[in-house]
Amino acid sequence: MAIVGEEYCSAEERVLTVRKTSHFSPGDGFAAYDHRTGGLAFRADTYGRGHGGGAAYAGELALLGPAGEALITVRRRRPSLHQRWEGYLGARADGQKPLFSARRSSILGGAAAGAVVELLAPLPASFSSTHAAAAELLRVDGSFPRRCCRVVAPKAESGGEAAVVAEIRRKVDEGARVVMGRDVFVLRVGAGFDAAFAMAIVLVLDQIAGDEADGNAGEETNRAMIW
């Protein structure tokens, strides 16, 4: 299911370790490393500070490849009661139509209420009509602030079951037998699903969560021992 590009779709499940690199504002710094190779797969920066992608629109977020190329740009749509965000392929240009939009599932419940991600027309040419029917609307179940949620594609019109295409979980250091803090977590991308698009969803979820990701500090900000 290529959305950004076929090169980001793997025949096998892909596991990324995601590290939040900045706390000045939600989402303005992320680095994602491939579990298999250990190499940098994606990073994220805020536009308007002279960082990657060659754009200078304040408040926009850029998902970049390892070489600094802009893959997706996300920005908040205003006004929006549901915290609606829009994503654009590459470095967004004036007049460009969004590739997808994302919003809270409900005004009530905050980020813990989940989110809805909608792919907007025209869909990429890589989609078949069968894939498009199943992928036009994705939902995020669970709590991103607690780093425990999954991205689910609904049933296709032809039948079948809903499929989990990506999942976010807390990072576990098996050697030290501890659960890492929320600044480091795991993104599992299902076989055939676009890892760059999955990472763009992470950026949006972090923006939707906002300060909720820093609330309930307690055990959430510390490492928990596994016995």
Side-chain angles (χ1 to χ4, degrees):
M1 189 181 292
I3 299 171
V4 181
E6 292 285 353
E7 63 270 34
Y8 304 110
C9 301
S10 174
E12 300 178 350
E13 179 186 71
R14 188 175 183 185
V15 180
L16 300 174
T17 295
V18 183
R19 179 170 63 91
K20 192 165 186 177
T21 59
S22 176
H23 298 275
F24 292 108
S25 63
D28 68 352
F30 278 101
Y33 299 89
D34 190 282
H35 181 76
R36 188 175 303 165
T37 66
L40 179 68
F42 307 104
R43 62 186 179 88
D45 274 315
T46 301
Y47 277 154
R49 299 183 183 179
H51 299 303
Y57 294 97
E60 295 188 347
L61 297 174
L63 177 67
L64 310 175
E69 67 277 23
L71 303 178
I72 290 183
T73 302
V74 298
R75 68 170 182 171
R76 185 172 181 177
R77 180 178 176 180
R78 299 180 185 275
S80 174
L81 294 176
H82 283 77
Q83 279 249 38
R84 183 180 294 274
W85 287 75
E86 294 177 331
Y88 301 79
L89 278 177
R92 187 187 69 83
D94 290 338
Q96 181 179 350
K97 293 183 178 180
L99 172 68
F100 71 92
S101 71
R103 61 173 174 80
R104 285 180 175 175
S105 297
S106 171
I107 298 177
L108 303 176
V116 175
V117 180
E118 181 181 5
L119 287 171
L120 305 174
L123 293 173
S126 57
F127 276 100
S128 68
S129 58
T130 301
H131 284 157
E136 287 178 356
L137 195 67
L138 306 171
R139 73 173 191 270
V140 179
D141 295 337
S143 172
F144 177 77
R146 293 183 177 275
R147 306 299 189 252
C148 182
C149 60
R150 59 184 187 173
V151 181
V152 181
K155 298 178 181 179
E157 292 182 0
S158 56
E161 297 182 354
V164 177
V165 296
E167 187 173 19
I168 295 167
R169 291 290 183 187
R170 297 284 292 272
K171 175 78 172 179
V172 176
D173 185 332
E174 297 290 353
R177 299 181 63 83
V178 297
V179 178
M180 305 295 289
R182 290 174 303 168
D183 296 341
V184 180
F185 56 94
V186 173
L187 172 63
R188 293 183 177 273
V189 183
F193 194 71
D194 194 308
F197 183 58
M199 190 62 201
I201 294 176
V202 169
L203 298 189
V204 172
L205 291 175
D206 186 72
Q207 290 292 320
I208 291 175
D211 292 338
E212 293 179 41
D214 296 319
N216 300 322
E219 77 280 1
E220 290 290 337
T221 57
N222 299 317
R223 297 187 179 189
M225 299 298 295
I226 300 176
W227 302 101

Short mmCIF file of all heavy atoms in Angstrom, two decimals, residues 26-28 30 44 61 63 72-77 82-88 100-104 111 114-118 140 144-145 168 196-210:
data_model
loop_
_atom_site.label_atom_id
_atom_site.label_comp_id
_atom_site.label_asym_id
_atom_site.label_seq_id
_atom_site.Cartn_x
_atom_site.Cartn_y
_atom_site.Cartn_z
N PRO A 26 5.42 20.20 20.93
CA PRO A 26 5.11 18.83 20.50
C PRO A 26 5.46 18.61 19.04
O PRO A 26 5.11 19.40 18.17
CB PRO A 26 3.59 18.72 20.73
CG PRO A 26 3.29 19.77 21.73
CD PRO A 26 4.25 20.89 21.46
N GLY A 27 6.18 17.51 18.75
CA GLY A 27 6.39 17.10 17.38
C GLY A 27 7.49 17.78 16.63
O GLY A 27 7.73 17.46 15.47
N ASP A 28 8.25 18.74 17.26
CA ASP A 28 9.21 19.46 16.44
C ASP A 28 10.55 18.75 16.34
O ASP A 28 11.48 19.28 15.75
CB ASP A 28 9.39 20.90 16.92
CG ASP A 28 10.06 20.99 18.28
OD1 ASP A 28 10.26 19.94 18.92
OD2 ASP A 28 10.39 22.11 18.69
N PHE A 30 11.90 14.54 15.93
CA PHE A 30 11.82 13.10 16.03
C PHE A 30 12.91 12.48 15.17
O PHE A 30 13.30 13.03 14.14
CB PHE A 30 10.46 12.57 15.51
CG PHE A 30 9.34 12.66 16.49
CD1 PHE A 30 8.40 13.67 16.41
CD2 PHE A 30 9.21 11.71 17.50
CE1 PHE A 30 7.35 13.75 17.30
CE2 PHE A 30 8.16 11.78 18.41
CZ PHE A 30 7.24 12.80 18.31
N ALA A 44 12.20 14.33 11.76
CA ALA A 44 11.19 15.37 11.62
C ALA A 44 11.72 16.67 12.19
O ALA A 44 12.43 16.69 13.20
CB ALA A 44 9.91 14.97 12.34
N LEU A 61 5.28 21.06 9.96
CA LEU A 61 6.22 20.00 10.32
C LEU A 61 6.63 19.25 9.08
O LEU A 61 5.78 18.94 8.23
CB LEU A 61 5.58 19.03 11.31
CG LEU A 61 5.18 19.62 12.67
CD1 LEU A 61 4.43 18.57 13.48
CD2 LEU A 61 6.40 20.09 13.42
N LEU A 63 8.36 15.80 7.59
CA LEU A 63 8.92 14.47 7.73
C LEU A 63 9.98 14.32 6.65
O LEU A 63 9.69 14.47 5.46
CB LEU A 63 7.84 13.40 7.56
CG LEU A 63 8.37 11.96 7.62
CD1 LEU A 63 8.88 11.63 9.03
CD2 LEU A 63 7.30 10.96 7.19
N ILE A 72 6.86 14.36 3.58
CA ILE A 72 5.50 14.81 3.87
C ILE A 72 5.58 16.06 4.73
O ILE A 72 6.43 16.17 5.62
CB ILE A 72 4.69 13.72 4.61
CG1 ILE A 72 4.38 12.54 3.68
CG2 ILE A 72 3.38 14.29 5.16
CD1 ILE A 72 3.54 11.46 4.32
N THR A 73 4.71 17.01 4.46
CA THR A 73 4.57 18.20 5.28
C THR A 73 3.19 18.18 5.93
O THR A 73 2.20 17.90 5.25
CB THR A 73 4.69 19.48 4.43
OG1 THR A 73 5.95 19.49 3.75
CG2 THR A 73 4.59 20.73 5.30
N VAL A 74 3.14 18.41 7.23
CA VAL A 74 1.85 18.45 7.92
C VAL A 74 1.66 19.81 8.56
O VAL A 74 2.62 20.46 8.99
CB VAL A 74 1.73 17.33 8.98
CG1 VAL A 74 1.82 15.96 8.35
CG2 VAL A 74 2.78 17.48 10.07
N ARG A 75 0.40 20.27 8.58
CA ARG A 75 0.08 21.53 9.24
C ARG A 75 -1.34 21.45 9.78
O ARG A 75 -2.18 20.69 9.29
CB ARG A 75 0.21 22.70 8.27
CG ARG A 75 -0.83 22.73 7.15
CD ARG A 75 -0.77 24.03 6.39
NE ARG A 75 -1.78 24.12 5.35
CZ ARG A 75 -2.04 25.22 4.66
NH1 ARG A 75 -1.37 26.32 4.90
NH2 ARG A 75 -2.98 25.22 3.73
N ARG A 76 -1.61 22.27 10.79
CA ARG A 76 -2.93 22.27 11.40
C ARG A 76 -3.90 23.10 10.58
O ARG A 76 -3.53 24.17 10.08
CB ARG A 76 -2.88 22.82 12.82
CG ARG A 76 -4.21 22.73 13.55
CD ARG A 76 -4.08 23.10 15.01
NE ARG A 76 -5.37 22.98 15.69
CZ ARG A 76 -5.54 23.18 17.00
NH1 ARG A 76 -4.51 23.49 17.75
NH2 ARG A 76 -6.74 23.05 17.55
N ARG A 77 -5.10 22.59 10.41
CA ARG A 77 -6.15 23.33 9.73
C ARG A 77 -6.95 24.13 10.76
O ARG A 77 -7.41 23.58 11.74
CB ARG A 77 -7.09 22.36 8.99
CG ARG A 77 -8.22 23.05 8.25
CD ARG A 77 -9.05 22.02 7.52
NE ARG A 77 -10.19 22.64 6.87
CZ ARG A 77 -11.10 21.98 6.15
NH1 ARG A 77 -10.99 20.67 6.00
NH2 ARG A 77 -12.11 22.60 5.60
N HIS A 82 -11.98 19.62 16.21
CA HIS A 82 -11.48 18.27 16.40
C HIS A 82 -9.96 18.19 16.27
O HIS A 82 -9.41 17.10 16.17
CB HIS A 82 -12.11 17.32 15.36
CG HIS A 82 -13.52 16.93 15.67
ND1 HIS A 82 -14.58 17.76 15.46
CD2 HIS A 82 -14.04 15.78 16.19
CE1 HIS A 82 -15.70 17.14 15.81
NE2 HIS A 82 -15.39 15.96 16.27
N GLN A 83 -9.25 19.32 16.25
CA GLN A 83 -7.81 19.29 16.03
C GLN A 83 -7.51 18.60 14.70
O GLN A 83 -6.85 17.57 14.64
CB GLN A 83 -7.09 18.56 17.17
CG GLN A 83 -6.87 19.40 18.40
CD GLN A 83 -5.39 19.72 18.62
OE1 GLN A 83 -4.67 19.95 17.68
NE2 GLN A 83 -4.98 19.73 19.87
N ARG A 84 -7.96 19.19 13.62
CA ARG A 84 -7.75 18.58 12.30
C ARG A 84 -6.40 19.03 11.72
O ARG A 84 -6.07 20.21 11.71
CB ARG A 84 -8.88 18.98 11.34
CG ARG A 84 -8.76 18.31 9.96
CD ARG A 84 -9.89 18.75 9.04
NE ARG A 84 -11.17 18.28 9.51
CZ ARG A 84 -11.69 17.09 9.22
NH1 ARG A 84 -11.01 16.25 8.44
NH2 ARG A 84 -12.87 16.74 9.68
N TRP A 85 -5.67 18.05 11.23
CA TRP A 85 -4.39 18.29 10.58
C TRP A 85 -4.42 17.77 9.16
O TRP A 85 -5.14 16.82 8.85
CB TRP A 85 -3.26 17.62 11.38
CG TRP A 85 -2.96 18.34 12.64
CD1 TRP A 85 -3.70 18.34 13.79
CD2 TRP A 85 -1.85 19.20 12.89
NE1 TRP A 85 -3.12 19.14 14.74
CE2 TRP A 85 -1.98 19.68 14.22
CE3 TRP A 85 -0.75 19.60 12.13
CZ2 TRP A 85 -1.05 20.54 14.79
CZ3 TRP A 85 0.18 20.46 12.70
CH2 TRP A 85 0.02 20.93 14.02
N GLU A 86 -3.63 18.38 8.29
CA GLU A 86 -3.57 17.97 6.89
C GLU A 86 -2.12 17.66 6.52
O GLU A 86 -1.18 18.30 7.01
CB GLU A 86 -4.12 19.06 5.98
CG GLU A 86 -5.61 19.31 6.18
CD GLU A 86 -6.15 20.45 5.33
OE1 GLU A 86 -5.37 21.39 5.03
OE2 GLU A 86 -7.35 20.41 4.97
N GLY A 87 -1.95 16.66 5.64
CA GLY A 87 -0.63 16.26 5.19
C GLY A 87 -0.48 16.40 3.69
O GLY A 87 -1.42 16.12 2.94
N TYR A 88 0.69 16.84 3.26
CA TYR A 88 0.97 17.09 1.85
C TYR A 88 2.24 16.32 1.43
O TYR A 88 3.19 16.21 2.21
CB TYR A 88 1.21 18.58 1.60
CG TYR A 88 0.05 19.47 1.98
CD1 TYR A 88 -0.19 19.80 3.31
CD2 TYR A 88 -0.82 19.96 1.02
CE1 TYR A 88 -1.26 20.60 3.68
CE2 TYR A 88 -1.90 20.77 1.37
CZ TYR A 88 -2.11 21.08 2.70
OH TYR A 88 -3.18 21.88 3.05
N PHE A 100 -3.79 13.81 2.83
CA PHE A 100 -4.64 13.21 3.86
C PHE A 100 -4.99 14.25 4.90
O PHE A 100 -4.37 15.32 5.00
CB PHE A 100 -3.92 12.03 4.52
CG PHE A 100 -2.77 12.40 5.42
CD1 PHE A 100 -2.96 12.60 6.78
CD2 PHE A 100 -1.49 12.53 4.92
CE1 PHE A 100 -1.92 12.95 7.62
CE2 PHE A 100 -0.42 12.87 5.74
CZ PHE A 100 -0.63 13.08 7.09
N SER A 101 -6.01 13.95 5.69
CA SER A 101 -6.35 14.76 6.85
C SER A 101 -6.50 13.82 8.04
O SER A 101 -6.80 12.63 7.88
CB SER A 101 -7.63 15.56 6.63
OG SER A 101 -8.76 14.69 6.62
N ALA A 102 -6.27 14.35 9.23
CA ALA A 102 -6.40 13.56 10.45
C ALA A 102 -7.02 14.43 11.53
O ALA A 102 -6.78 15.64 11.59
CB ALA A 102 -5.04 13.04 10.90
N ARG A 103 -7.82 13.81 12.37
CA ARG A 103 -8.49 14.55 13.44
C ARG A 103 -8.78 13.63 14.61
O ARG A 103 -8.71 12.40 14.48
CB ARG A 103 -9.81 15.15 12.94
CG ARG A 103 -10.80 14.09 12.46
CD ARG A 103 -12.16 14.68 12.12
NE ARG A 103 -13.06 13.72 11.54
CZ ARG A 103 -13.77 12.82 12.22
NH1 ARG A 103 -13.65 12.77 13.53
NH2 ARG A 103 -14.59 11.99 11.61
N ARG A 104 -9.11 14.23 15.74
CA ARG A 104 -9.57 13.45 16.88
C ARG A 104 -10.86 12.74 16.53
O ARG A 104 -11.68 13.27 15.79
CB ARG A 104 -9.81 14.35 18.08
CG ARG A 104 -8.56 14.84 18.78
CD ARG A 104 -8.92 15.72 19.94
NE ARG A 104 -7.76 16.12 20.71
CZ ARG A 104 -7.79 16.96 21.73
NH1 ARG A 104 -8.94 17.50 22.10
NH2 ARG A 104 -6.68 17.28 22.38
N ALA A 111 -6.80 13.14 23.41
CA ALA A 111 -6.04 12.23 22.55
C ALA A 111 -6.32 10.78 22.86
O ALA A 111 -6.13 9.91 22.01
CB ALA A 111 -4.55 12.52 22.70
N GLY A 114 -8.64 8.53 20.57
CA GLY A 114 -8.25 8.02 19.26
C GLY A 114 -8.35 9.08 18.19
O GLY A 114 -8.59 10.26 18.45
N ALA A 115 -8.15 8.66 16.95
CA ALA A 115 -8.14 9.60 15.84
C ALA A 115 -8.63 8.91 14.58
O ALA A 115 -8.71 7.68 14.50
CB ALA A 115 -6.73 10.16 15.62
N VAL A 116 -8.96 9.72 13.58
CA VAL A 116 -9.39 9.24 12.28
C VAL A 116 -8.48 9.86 11.23
O VAL A 116 -8.21 11.07 11.25
CB VAL A 116 -10.86 9.62 11.98
CG1 VAL A 116 -11.24 9.22 10.57
CG2 VAL A 116 -11.78 8.97 12.99
N VAL A 117 -7.97 9.04 10.31
CA VAL A 117 -7.11 9.51 9.23
C VAL A 117 -7.80 9.22 7.91
O VAL A 117 -8.17 8.07 7.64
CB VAL A 117 -5.73 8.81 9.26
CG1 VAL A 117 -4.85 9.33 8.13
CG2 VAL A 117 -5.06 9.03 10.61
N GLU A 118 -7.97 10.25 7.10
CA GLU A 118 -8.69 10.10 5.83
C GLU A 118 -7.77 10.44 4.66
O GLU A 118 -7.18 11.52 4.62
CB GLU A 118 -9.90 11.02 5.79
CG GLU A 118 -10.72 10.91 4.51
CD GLU A 118 -11.91 11.85 4.50
OE1 GLU A 118 -12.04 12.66 5.44
OE2 GLU A 118 -12.70 11.78 3.54
N VAL A 140 -7.38 5.30 14.42
CA VAL A 140 -6.35 5.05 15.42
C VAL A 140 -7.04 4.70 16.72
O VAL A 140 -7.77 5.53 17.29
CB VAL A 140 -5.43 6.27 15.61
CG1 VAL A 140 -4.37 5.98 16.68
CG2 VAL A 140 -4.76 6.65 14.29
N PHE A 144 -2.24 7.39 22.23
CA PHE A 144 -0.89 7.75 21.84
C PHE A 144 -0.09 8.32 23.01
O PHE A 144 1.10 8.01 23.15
CB PHE A 144 -0.90 8.73 20.67
CG PHE A 144 0.48 9.18 20.29
CD1 PHE A 144 1.32 8.36 19.54
CD2 PHE A 144 0.97 10.42 20.69
CE1 PHE A 144 2.61 8.75 19.22
CE2 PHE A 144 2.25 10.83 20.37
CZ PHE A 144 3.07 10.00 19.62
N PRO A 145 -0.68 9.20 23.87
CA PRO A 145 0.10 9.71 25.00
C PRO A 145 0.72 8.60 25.86
O PRO A 145 1.80 8.76 26.41
CB PRO A 145 -0.92 10.53 25.80
CG PRO A 145 -1.89 10.99 24.77
CD PRO A 145 -2.01 9.84 23.81
N ILE A 168 1.89 1.27 17.76
CA ILE A 168 2.84 2.01 18.58
C ILE A 168 2.84 1.38 19.98
O ILE A 168 1.78 1.20 20.58
CB ILE A 168 2.47 3.49 18.67
CG1 ILE A 168 2.58 4.14 17.29
CG2 ILE A 168 3.33 4.23 19.70
CD1 ILE A 168 1.96 5.51 17.19
N ALA A 196 6.72 5.52 5.66
CA ALA A 196 6.79 6.99 5.73
C ALA A 196 5.44 7.56 6.11
O ALA A 196 5.35 8.51 6.91
CB ALA A 196 7.26 7.54 4.38
N PHE A 197 4.36 7.00 5.57
CA PHE A 197 3.02 7.47 5.91
C PHE A 197 2.71 7.16 7.37
O PHE A 197 2.12 7.97 8.09
CB PHE A 197 1.99 6.82 4.99
CG PHE A 197 0.58 7.29 5.22
CD1 PHE A 197 0.25 8.63 5.13
CD2 PHE A 197 -0.41 6.39 5.55
CE1 PHE A 197 -1.04 9.07 5.36
CE2 PHE A 197 -1.72 6.81 5.77
CZ PHE A 197 -2.03 8.16 5.67
N ALA A 198 3.13 5.97 7.84
CA ALA A 198 2.92 5.60 9.24
C ALA A 198 3.63 6.59 10.16
O ALA A 198 3.10 7.00 11.20
CB ALA A 198 3.41 4.18 9.50
N MET A 199 4.83 7.01 9.77
CA MET A 199 5.58 7.96 10.59
C MET A 199 4.91 9.34 10.56
O MET A 199 4.91 10.05 11.56
CB MET A 199 7.02 8.05 10.08
CG MET A 199 7.94 8.84 10.99
SD MET A 199 8.12 8.09 12.63
CE MET A 199 8.69 9.53 13.56
N ALA A 200 4.31 9.71 9.43
CA ALA A 200 3.57 10.97 9.35
C ALA A 200 2.38 10.96 10.31
O ALA A 200 2.06 11.98 10.93
CB ALA A 200 3.10 11.23 7.92
N ILE A 201 1.73 9.81 10.45
CA ILE A 201 0.63 9.68 11.40
C ILE A 201 1.13 9.89 12.82
O ILE A 201 0.47 10.53 13.64
CB ILE A 201 -0.06 8.32 11.24
CG1 ILE A 201 -0.76 8.22 9.87
CG2 ILE A 201 -1.07 8.09 12.37
CD1 ILE A 201 -1.38 6.86 9.59
N VAL A 202 2.34 9.41 13.12
CA VAL A 202 2.93 9.63 14.44
C VAL A 202 3.09 11.12 14.71
O VAL A 202 2.77 11.61 15.81
CB VAL A 202 4.29 8.91 14.55
CG1 VAL A 202 5.04 9.36 15.81
CG2 VAL A 202 4.11 7.41 14.57
N LEU A 203 3.57 11.88 13.72
CA LEU A 203 3.73 13.32 13.90
C LEU A 203 2.41 13.98 14.24
O LEU A 203 2.33 14.83 15.13
CB LEU A 203 4.32 13.95 12.64
CG LEU A 203 5.70 13.52 12.18
CD1 LEU A 203 6.18 14.42 11.04
CD2 LEU A 203 6.69 13.51 13.31
N VAL A 204 1.36 13.60 13.52
CA VAL A 204 0.05 14.21 13.74
C VAL A 204 -0.48 13.82 15.12
O VAL A 204 -1.03 14.66 15.84
CB VAL A 204 -0.93 13.80 12.63
CG1 VAL A 204 -2.34 14.27 12.97
CG2 VAL A 204 -0.49 14.38 11.30
N LEU A 205 -0.34 12.56 15.50
CA LEU A 205 -0.82 12.12 16.81
C LEU A 205 -0.11 12.88 17.92
O LEU A 205 -0.73 13.25 18.93
CB LEU A 205 -0.60 10.61 16.97
CG LEU A 205 -1.46 9.70 16.11
CD1 LEU A 205 -1.04 8.25 16.31
CD2 LEU A 205 -2.94 9.88 16.41
N ASP A 206 1.17 13.14 17.75
CA ASP A 206 1.89 13.90 18.76
C ASP A 206 1.37 15.32 18.87
O ASP A 206 1.26 15.88 19.96
CB ASP A 206 3.38 13.91 18.42
CG ASP A 206 4.21 14.55 19.52
OD1 ASP A 206 4.36 13.93 20.59
OD2 ASP A 206 4.69 15.69 19.31
N GLN A 207 1.01 15.91 17.73
CA GLN A 207 0.44 17.25 17.74
C GLN A 207 -0.94 17.26 18.40
O GLN A 207 -1.26 18.16 19.18
CB GLN A 207 0.34 17.79 16.32
CG GLN A 207 1.68 18.11 15.68
CD GLN A 207 2.37 19.28 16.35
OE1 GLN A 207 1.72 20.27 16.69
NE2 GLN A 207 3.67 19.20 16.53
N ILE A 208 -1.76 16.27 18.08
CA ILE A 208 -3.09 16.19 18.66
C ILE A 208 -3.00 15.99 20.17
O ILE A 208 -3.77 16.58 20.94
CB ILE A 208 -3.89 15.04 18.01
CG1 ILE A 208 -4.23 15.39 16.55
CG2 ILE A 208 -5.17 14.75 18.79
CD1 ILE A 208 -4.92 14.27 15.80
N ALA A 209 -2.04 15.17 20.61
CA ALA A 209 -1.88 14.91 22.04
C ALA A 209 -1.44 16.15 22.78
O ALA A 209 -1.90 16.43 23.88
CB ALA A 209 -0.88 13.78 22.26
N GLY A 210 -0.52 16.95 22.17
CA GLY A 210 -0.05 18.17 22.79
C GLY A 210 0.46 17.96 24.20
O GLY A 210 1.24 17.04 24.47
#
